[in-house]
Amino acid sequence: MPSETLYDGPLHEATFYVPSGGGILRFRFSDLRAGGYVRSRDGSLFRVQPGTRLLLSAGHQVLTLYDPKLMARVSISFEPL
């Protein structure tokens, strides 16, 4: 099944929604020095860096950059289960 882009824009405090059923997300950063974490509604934290793939359940997610002064972009693609 083809992937769809959930978010493409500034990395820090990137807010996105994973469709029902959840799926695999791939994170592509414009700056290879970038890294951060995804925070779920239930308080779970997942570390992300360029090329990370995560299996996330449905719902609202927020991606936060470790260094908020770093000007980077992220593209988050989604592959349903």
Side-chain angles (χ1 to χ4, degrees):
M1 186 170 268
S3 65
E4 66 177 278
T5 300
L6 291 182
Y7 180 87
D8 186 22
L11 198 158
H12 190 61
E13 298 299 325
T15 301
F16 58 97
Y17 185 83
V18 177
S20 64
I24 298 171
L25 280 73
R26 180 182 298 270
F27 297 82
R28 292 180 179 89
F29 297 164
S30 64
D31 189 325
L32 295 179
R33 300 172 296 158
Y37 58 91
V38 171
R39 183 177 63 246
S40 300
R41 283 188 329 195
D42 66 2
S44 300
L45 295 175
F46 304 95
R47 183 171 190 260
V48 293
Q49 56 195 19
T52 295
R53 291 179 59 166
L54 288 177
L55 176 62
L56 292 177
S57 57
H60 179 255
Q61 318 282 338
V62 177
L63 174 59
T64 301
L65 191 60
Y66 288 131
D67 179 1
K69 295 177 186 165
L70 183 64
M71 300 303 287
R73 294 181 63 81
V74 63
S75 178
I76 303 170
S77 59
F78 171 76
E79 299 170 16
L81 294 176

